[in-house]
Amino acid sequence: MNHLPPPAEELRLLDAELRQLDARRDQLLARRAWLVATLQQARQQPQQAWAQARTQPPPVAWSRPDAAAPSVQNVLLVLGGVLLTLAAAVFTLVSWGHMGITGRALVLGAVTLAALAGPALLLKRGLRSTAESVAGLGLALTVLDAYALHEAAFAGTDGTGYAAAAAAVLAVIWSAYGLLPAALRLPLPCALVAGQFPLLLWALSADAGPYVISAALLMTAGLDTVVALRVRTGSVRITAMVGAYSTGSLGVLTAGWLSLAADTPSAAARAGALLLLAATIAVGATWRGAGSLSGSDSGSGSDSCTAPGSASSTAAPWQGPGEKHALGLAIVSGLLAVGAFGATARPWLPEMWTVPAYLVCGIVLSAAVRAGRLPDAVRLGSAWASGAVQALALLWALPVVAVVVLGPAGWIGRVWSGAPSDARAAVTVEAPWPPDAAAVPVVLLAVAAVVALVSRAEQWRARARIGALGLVWATALTLPAVTGIPYVAGMVVLGVVTAAALYAGRATVSAARLTALLLSLTTSVSLALASLASQTATLVVLSVLTALFASASWRTSLASVTAPAALVYAAALASATGAAVDWPPARTALLVLAVPVAAALLAPRLGAQRATVPVEAAGAAAGLLAVGLAVIDPPLLALVLASCGVIAAGTALRPDRRPVGYAATALFVLAAWVRLAAWEVGTPEAYTLPVTVPALLVGALRTRRDPQVSSWTAYGPGLAATLLPSLVAAWGDPHWTRPLLLGTAALLVTLLGARHRLQAPLVLGGSVLALVTLHELAPYVVQVTGALPRWAPPALAGLLLLALGATYEQRIRDVRRVREVLGRMN
C-alpha cells in the first residue's frame, strides 16, 4: 500500500483521533447517567424533577478544531525551516567575517552535516514531515556552502562559470542524497531544478553566441524530457515536465528568431539544426507516449510517492503522456521540422519563393508520414502540422486574391477612361499590388492538388473536391494579373473561368453546385467591373455574360441563380448601349424596359418553381431602374410608367399573380397624372372624370356579382383617379370655384361612404375634404396665429398635453379600480 503520510505519522494521528473519541464517549455517558437519574426522580416528584431539569445547565458543546492537525504541523515545520534557512543565510553573509577560517569551516560543515544526517534519525522515529523540513534546510545550507567556498577560496574566478559548476555539483549531490535508502521526496525535485542551469550558465560564462545558448536550452529540455519519460515519481515527473516546457520554449523561440534573421546559408543551417533538434525531442516524447498507451490516458497520472523497495516498486513503469498530449507534441514536432528544413532552404532561394519552400516542406512531411510505419499519434499530428502550414500559405496568398477580385471596382469612378496596358493594371486601379505575388498561383495550385489527392475518407472526399475547386478557381483568377498578360487576354481568361464555373455547376451534389454558381457570379462581377475601362470591352463583356447566363438558365437546377443574373446583365447592357449611342437617360429607359418584358415572359415558362420569384424580382428591379432613368423627363416618364403598367397587367393575367393587378392600376393612374402634369393641364377633371365614371360603374357591377369584394378594389381606383389630381390642382388654384366643387364632391363621397359603410369612399372623401378645408382656412389660421402673442401656441400645447396626461391618469385609475373590484369578487 502507498502511505501518505508515513505509517508512523498516520499512527500518531489515529491515536489522537481515538483519544478525542474516548473523551467524547465519557461526556455522553455522564450525560446519560444524569438523564436516567432525572427520570427516576420525576416518577416520584414530577414537578420538582421538571424544575430541576429546567435549571440544570446544558452540557458544554464539543468544539471541533478549525484546522486539521497535519495542516498545523506542516505550517509549523515549513515556517521553522524557512526561519532556520534565513538565519543561516544571515550568518553566512553578515557574521562570516567575525570568525577565522577554521571556525567558519567547522560551523558551516557541522551544521550542514547535521542537517543532512538528521532526516535519517527522524525517519527511524516515524517523523517524515519533520525529516523533509530538516532535509530542505540541509539543501539550502549546501547552497550557502557553495557561496562561502567561492568567497573564501575562489573569489577571483568568474562568477557565472563558478555558478554553473556549483549548480552541476549540487545537482549531483542532491540526486545522490535523494537516492539514499532514506528515500526523501524533496532532494530529487530540487536536484532537477538545479540541473536546469549548468549548461545555460556555462554558455553565458563562455560568451557564447545565441546559437550555443539556444542549443544549451534545447539540450536541457531534452534531458528533462528523458527524466519525465523514465521516472515514475510524481513530484519529479512534474518538475521535469515544467522544466522541459520552459527551457524548450525558450530554446525554440531563440532558434526561430535566428532562422528568420539568418542571411547566410551557414547561419540558416545552424538555426535549422537547432529547430530540428527541438523537433527530435518533441517527436521522441510523442513516440514514447503514443507507443506506450494501453487504453487509458495516463497523462494525468497520480503522484505515487513510493520509495524504492516498497510494495509498489514492482509496478509497471509510467506510461508516458496522454493521447491528446501526444497529439499536441506531434503537431509541434511537425511544425518545427518544417521550420528547420524551410529555414535551411530559404537563403538559397529568391525572397518570393520563401513561402513556397515552407509549403513544399509541409507537403513532403505529410507524404513521408503516410509512407512510414509510425504510431497513430505521430501520423495524425504530422498531418495536422502539414495542414497548418498549408493554411498559413493560403493566408499569405489571400491579399493577392482579394486585390484581383475587388480591385476592378475602382473603375466605377473612371468609366470608359481608357483600357489599361495589362491585366495587372486592370485590378490595381485604387489598390497597390502585393509584393512577392509571383508565387501565389504556385501556392494555390499546390494546396489544391494536396487537398484533392490526400483526402481519401468518404466523408471528407466531397468537401475536399469543393475546396480544390475553389483553389483552382483562385489560381485561374490570379494568373492573368500575376503574369501581366495583355488586357484583352485577361478578359478572355476571366470569361473562360466564368463559363467553366457555370459548367461545373451541372454537378449533382448541391454543395458543389452552389459553390460553382457562387464562383461564376464572383468571376462575372469582377469581369464586368474590369470591362468598365473601355466602351467596347463593356458592351462585348456584358453581351457575352448575358448570353452565357441565359444559356445556362435552361437547366432547371441553375435557373434560380443564372436567370436573374442574365436579366441583371441585360439591364446593364441596355444602359451601356444607350450611353454608347449618346442617348439621354430618359430614352435609355425605353431600352431597359425590354428586361421587365423578358422577365414577365420568361417567369411562367421556367420549369423550376424556385426560379420564378427571383426572375420576377430582377424584372421589377429593372423596371425601377427604368423609372429612375426617366424621372427627369415627364413625358417619357409617363410612357415608362404606362409600359410598366402594361407589363404588370399582363403578369396579373396569371391565376397565381392576381394581386399584381393593383400595382398595374397604380402605375396607370401615375402615368395619367404625370402625363397631365407634362401637358400642363389646368383642368384635369376633363380627363379624369371620363375615366372615373366608367370605373365606378364597373366597380358597382362587380359589387353586385361579388358582395364580398373590398370597396378599395371596387371604388378606390375610380375615386382616386379624379379626387387626387383635383386636390393637387386645388392647392395651387387661387380661385374659390374648384375648391368649392371639390369640397362638395368630397363631402358627398364621404356621406355615401358613411351611409353604405364603405371604407374606400369614406377614407378618400374625408381625407380630400379635410385637406381642401385646411387649404381654404390656411390664410385665416396664419392671420390668427400672427395676432396671438408668441407665448400663446406653447401655452395651448402645454394645456393640451396636461389634459391628455390627466385623461391618461384617469384611465389608469379606472383600470386599477376595476381590478380591485374583481379581486374582491373572488
Side-chain angles (χ1 to χ4, degrees):
M1 294 179 61
N2 298 333
H3 299 288
L4 181 66
E9 183 67 18
E10 186 176 2
L11 180 60
R12 188 185 64 81
L13 296 176
L14 292 177
D15 292 339
E17 292 291 339
L18 290 175
R19 286 195 296 271
Q20 293 178 0
L21 292 175
D22 291 339
R24 181 61 176 167
R25 183 173 183 275
D26 294 340
Q27 184 184 20
L28 294 176
L29 289 175
R31 179 63 178 175
R32 181 179 182 280
W34 179 84
L35 290 174
V36 171
T38 302
L39 290 176
Q40 292 177 356
Q41 294 178 3
R43 294 175 182 175
Q44 301 175 359
Q45 300 176 355
Q47 298 297 331
Q48 183 179 0
W50 282 109
Q52 292 179 357
R54 284 194 300 270
T55 57
Q56 181 71 23
V60 179
W62 182 263
S63 59
R64 188 172 184 83
D66 294 334
S71 301
V72 176
Q73 162 198 297
N74 293 334
V75 169
L76 294 177
L77 292 175
V78 171
L79 183 59
V82 170
L83 292 178
L84 288 175
T85 303
L86 292 176
V90 171
F91 169 77
T92 305
L93 298 176
V94 178
S95 301
W96 184 255
H98 299 289
M99 301 180 65
I101 186 62
T102 305
R104 301 171 190 175
L106 291 177
V107 171
L108 276 180
V111 173
T112 302
L113 291 177
L116 294 177
L121 300 176
L122 294 172
L123 287 175
K124 291 182 179 180
R125 301 178 62 88
L127 303 177
R128 172 168 286 276
S129 298
T130 307
E132 295 287 349
S133 300
V134 176
L137 175 60
L139 299 180
L141 288 175
T142 57
V143 177
L144 295 177
D145 290 337
Y147 171 77
L149 184 61
H150 176 267
E151 293 297 323
F154 301 100
T157 59
D158 179 46
T160 306
Y162 179 82
V169 172
L170 289 177
V172 173
I173 293 174
W174 291 352
S175 299
Y177 184 64
L179 295 176
L180 292 176
L184 295 171
R185 294 192 298 270
L186 188 59
L188 290 179
C190 292
L192 199 56
V193 171
Q196 308 300 311
F197 300 101
L199 294 178
L200 178 60
L201 293 177
W202 272 326
L204 293 176
S205 65
D207 292 331
Y211 293 94
V212 178
I213 293 176
S214 178
L217 291 171
L218 293 176
M219 292 178 65
T220 304
L223 295 175
D224 290 334
T225 303
V226 172
V227 173
L229 292 173
R230 292 293 182 181
V231 178
R232 66 171 182 268
T233 304
S235 58
V236 179
R237 187 172 67 246
I238 293 174
T239 306
M241 290 176 64
V242 172
Y245 280 116
S246 301
T247 56
S249 300
L250 292 176
V252 168
L253 292 176
T254 306
W257 174 76
L258 292 173
S259 66
L260 295 177
D263 53 357
T264 60
S266 61
R270 285 181 290 171
L274 292 175
L275 291 175
L276 194 60
L277 175 60
T280 304
I281 295 172
V283 78
T286 305
W287 201 309
R288 169 71 177 180
S292 59
L293 287 175
S294 57
S296 62
D297 187 2
S298 58
S300 58
S302 60
D303 188 356
S304 60
C305 299
T306 56
S310 61
S312 60
S313 61
T314 58
W318 178 56
Q319 297 296 319
E323 184 176 359
K324 294 182 179 179
H325 193 182
L327 178 61
L329 289 175
I331 295 174
V332 172
S333 64
L335 293 176
L336 291 175
V338 171
F341 290 106
T344 304
R346 186 174 60 85
W348 299 92
L349 300 172
E351 186 177 358
M352 67 178 180
W353 296 106
T354 299
V355 174
Y358 283 99
L359 177 61
V360 170
C361 293
I363 296 174
V364 170
L365 172 67
S366 178
V369 169
R370 288 179 177 273
R373 302 179 62 180
L374 302 174
D376 292 340
V378 178
R379 295 164 61 90
L380 185 59
S382 300
W384 276 102
S386 178
V389 173
Q390 297 175 47
L392 291 175
L394 292 180
L395 188 63
W396 172 80
L398 184 61
V400 177
V401 179
V403 169
V404 172
V405 175
L406 304 177
W411 291 107
I412 296 177
R414 306 180 183 184
V415 176
W416 295 353
S417 60
S421 59
D422 52 22
R424 182 179 302 177
V427 299
T428 55
V429 185
E430 301 290 345
W433 184 246
D436 302 331
V440 168
V442 177
V443 170
L444 295 174
L445 197 60
V447 177
V450 172
V451 170
L453 297 177
V454 172
S455 298
R456 302 176 181 176
E458 187 67 27
Q459 65 272 18
W460 292 100
R461 188 175 302 170
R463 300 178 185 177
R465 290 177 179 176
I466 294 174
L469 174 63
L471 293 173
V472 171
W473 167 81
T475 304
L477 201 65
T478 57
L479 198 58
V482 170
T483 56
I485 62 176
Y487 173 69
V488 176
M491 297 294 100
V492 173
V493 171
L494 292 181
V496 172
V497 172
T498 303
L502 282 176
Y503 183 80
R506 300 159 57 95
T508 57
V509 181
S510 59
R513 181 169 61 250
L514 179 60
T515 303
L517 290 176
L518 291 177
L519 296 181
S520 64
L521 289 176
T522 304
T523 311
S524 64
V525 171
S526 180
L527 175 60
L529 292 175
S531 69
L532 295 178
S534 171
Q535 176 179 324
T536 304
T538 301
L539 296 176
V540 173
V541 166
L542 291 178
S543 301
V544 171
L545 290 178
T546 302
L548 189 62
F549 281 93
S551 61
S553 301
W554 294 112
R555 291 189 62 87
T556 305
S557 59
L558 306 180
S560 60
V561 177
T562 56
L567 294 175
V568 170
Y569 286 123
L573 177 62
S575 302
T577 302
V581 296
D582 293 331
W583 280 6
R587 293 184 64 184
T588 305
L590 298 178
L591 287 177
V592 178
L593 282 177
V595 177
V597 173
L601 296 176
L602 181 63
R605 290 172 174 79
L606 291 174
Q609 187 66 24
R610 294 182 301 175
T612 303
V613 175
V615 168
E616 292 175 342
L624 290 177
L625 175 62
V627 172
L629 292 174
V631 72
I632 59 176
D633 192 344
L636 284 177
L637 177 61
L639 179 59
V640 170
L641 289 172
S643 302
C644 292
V646 172
I647 298 172
T651 304
L653 295 177
R654 294 162 50 190
D656 56 339
R657 292 294 185 268
R658 297 297 187 191
V660 183
Y662 299 111
T665 303
L667 290 171
F668 285 133
V669 172
L670 286 175
W673 292 348
V674 173
R675 185 73 262 181
L676 293 176
W679 285 341
E680 298 181 356
V681 173
T683 308
E685 293 82 6
Y687 299 92
T688 57
L689 284 176
V691 177
T692 297
V693 174
L696 293 177
L697 292 176
V698 172
L701 292 176
R702 185 173 180 182
T703 303
R704 286 189 176 183
R705 293 181 180 179
D706 187 8
Q708 302 297 327
V709 71
S710 172
S711 63
W712 289 101
T713 304
Y715 304 109
L719 293 175
T722 295
L723 291 177
L724 296 181
S726 298
L727 177 62
V728 175
W731 271 70
D733 193 346
H735 304 288
W736 60 271
T737 306
R738 178 179 279 111
L740 178 61
L741 295 177
L742 180 60
T744 303
L747 177 61
L748 292 176
V749 171
T750 303
L751 294 176
L752 288 175
R755 171 68 179 78
H756 297 285
R757 291 183 293 180
L758 299 175
Q759 189 179 35
L762 185 62
V763 173
L764 288 175
S767 301
V768 172
L769 180 60
L771 292 175
V772 170
T773 304
L774 178 63
H775 175 265
E776 293 301 315
L777 296 179
Y780 302 100
V781 173
V782 172
Q783 183 178 0
V784 172
T785 304
L788 292 174
R790 293 188 176 182
W791 54 265
L796 293 175
L799 291 175
L800 178 61
L801 293 177
L802 288 176
L804 291 176
T807 304
Y808 186 73
E809 183 180 8
Q810 180 65 31
R811 297 293 180 269
I812 293 177
R813 189 170 58 186
D814 294 342
V815 171
R816 290 176 179 174
R817 188 177 301 168
V818 171
R819 186 175 61 185
E820 292 175 359
V821 171
L822 293 176
R824 287 195 298 268
M825 291 175 63
N826 191 24

